[in-house]
Amino acid sequence: MEPERRKTKKYTFKSLEVEELRKLGSLIVDQDKFCSKYGRLLYLLRTKMEEGILSTLIQFCDSLYHCFTFPDYQLFPTLEKYSSIIGLPITGRIPSTGLEQDPKPCEIEKSNHLRKGEIEKNMVTKGGLPGLPAEFLIEKAPTLSQERKEEEFEAVFALLVYGLFLFPNINNFVDMNAIKIFMKKNPVPTLLGDTYYSIHLRNSYGKGMATYCTPLLYKWYISHMPAPLNSGARKKD
């Protein structure tokens, strides 16, 4: 009797907008200080993923047990591991659910140092969600850097990373959900939840586009693999 063949799941992964973010990240004066405040965002942005690794991993996803089941063992992405990779603690704050009331411009102003008038002028709606165009923030960030407003620049840069990289949704757009997660300062549970949800959703259809921070899952997976593939996993940012 022939062994049962595993049905291949066909996925595509959302192309993350990293080149412009990498350029902006090079403008950070004190990277250690930035890391202590916002986590290892620069480290994740520099991730170079080997082609085919995640596509292969997805084939071993076990939707029933919410893990990856291999012939001799199982692997579970966990909060603790994600927290270690991104370099941010799991705080006691309630993670963003997406159901909270949208913050007002004056509240957003306090979290990222943008002026209330700028936020009101540039806030638009795409895909049914309000948010800020990435173009506006990408143009704003270098100006803040040139003016040596490091704290303001880093906040705008981190917000861009949240919207375009950690919680990608609409291309070239930092939507309100990403803004709320940024303001909550407790992104790890949402990052892990996004991973599980997107993979489970794609498994339900057996195909489709995965929309989550794939470099984070990639870093988690290769941390369990032998060298040399994970040789850079613990390098300093």
Side-chain angles (χ1 to χ4, degrees), residues 100-117:
E100 305 92 346
Q101 185 176 0
D102 290 347
K104 297 178 180 179
C106 60
E107 295 171 322
I108 298 174
E109 178 183 30
K110 294 177 182 178
S111 70
N112 57 30
H113 306 283
L114 292 171
R115 294 178 181 176
K116 177 183 174 183

Side-chain angles (χ1 to χ4, degrees), residues 15-31:
S15 179
L16 302 179
E17 302 160 54
V18 297
E19 291 306 320
E20 195 64 44
L21 294 177
R22 288 172 179 169
K23 291 178 183 178
L24 290 175
S26 68
L27 300 177
I28 294 175
V29 176
D30 190 336
Q31 295 195 2

Side-chain angles (χ1 to χ4, degrees), residues 49-111:
M49 298 191 293
E50 293 286 341
E51 186 176 353
I53 294 289
L54 285 187
S55 297
T56 301
L57 174 65
I58 294 299
Q59 308 308 315
F60 295 92
C61 181
D62 190 326
S63 296
L64 179 61
Y65 295 103
H66 303 292
C67 67
F68 297 96
T69 299
F70 299 91
D72 300 316
Y73 60 95
Q74 292 177 313
L75 290 176
F76 298 77
T78 63
L79 285 171
E80 291 77 13
K81 189 63 177 181
Y82 264 35
S83 174
S84 174
I85 293 171
I86 197 173
L88 289 172
I90 306 165
T91 72
R93 298 184 181 186
I94 299 174
S96 176
T97 64
L99 301 176
E100 305 92 346
Q101 185 176 0
D102 290 347
K104 297 178 180 179
C106 60
E107 295 171 322
I108 298 174
E109 178 183 30
K110 294 177 182 178
S111 70

Side-chain angles (χ1 to χ4, degrees), residues 35 38-41 43-44 77-90 187-189 191-192 216 219-220 223-224 233-235 237:
C35 180
Y38 293 106
R40 306 177 73 192
L41 301 184
Y43 162 74
L44 284 173
T78 63
L79 285 171
E80 291 77 13
K81 189 63 177 181
Y82 264 35
S83 174
S84 174
I85 293 171
I86 197 173
L88 289 172
I90 306 165
V188 177
L191 284 166
L192 183 62
L216 186 55
K219 286 293 187 184
W220 165 80
S223 71
H224 296 279
R234 294 180 177 83
K235 286 183 179 179
D237 293 355

Side-chain angles (χ1 to χ4, degrees), residues 36-201:
S36 67
K37 185 173 183 178
Y38 293 106
R40 306 177 73 192
L41 301 184
L42 299 174
Y43 162 74
L44 284 173
L45 283 172
R46 289 195 289 264
T47 301
K48 294 181 179 180
M49 298 191 293
E50 293 286 341
E51 186 176 353
I53 294 289
L54 285 187
S55 297
T56 301
L57 174 65
I58 294 299
Q59 308 308 315
F60 295 92
C61 181
D62 190 326
S63 296
L64 179 61
Y65 295 103
H66 303 292
C67 67
F68 297 96
T69 299
F70 299 91
D72 300 316
Y73 60 95
Q74 292 177 313
L75 290 176
F76 298 77
T78 63
L79 285 171
E80 291 77 13
K81 189 63 177 181
Y82 264 35
S83 174
S84 174
I85 293 171
I86 197 173
L88 289 172
I90 306 165
T91 72
R93 298 184 181 186
I94 299 174
S96 176
T97 64
L99 301 176
E100 305 92 346
Q101 185 176 0
D102 290 347
K104 297 178 180 179
C106 60
E107 295 171 322
I108 298 174
E109 178 183 30
K110 294 177 182 178
S111 70
N112 57 30
H113 306 283
L114 292 171
R115 294 178 181 176
K116 177 183 174 183
E118 290 180 308
I119 297 169
E120 292 174 334
K121 179 181 178 180
N122 289 280
M123 187 71 68
V124 296
T125 299
K126 290 186 178 181
L129 285 171
L132 295 170
E135 182 181 9
F136 156 63
L137 296 172
I138 289 172
E139 289 180 356
K140 180 72 176 179
T143 301
L144 294 172
S145 177
Q146 291 167 6
E147 295 174 352
R148 298 186 178 181
K149 296 179 179 179
E150 295 177 18
E151 185 176 356
E152 291 87 344
F153 164 71
E154 290 177 1
V156 171
F157 170 71
L159 179 60
L160 273 165
V161 175
Y162 270 64
L164 304 183
F165 183 76
L166 293 184
F167 303 98
N169 186 16
I170 302 169
N171 290 340
N172 302 307
F173 191 64
V174 180
D175 68 35
M176 186 57 70
N177 287 333
I179 294 172
K180 288 191 282 190
I181 297 168
F182 177 77
M183 293 176 66
K184 280 273 188 176
K185 298 181 180 179
N186 188 26
V188 177
T190 310
L191 284 166
L192 183 62
D194 273 4
T195 300
Y196 275 118
Y197 175 76
S198 186
I199 292 175
H200 176 75
L201 187 64

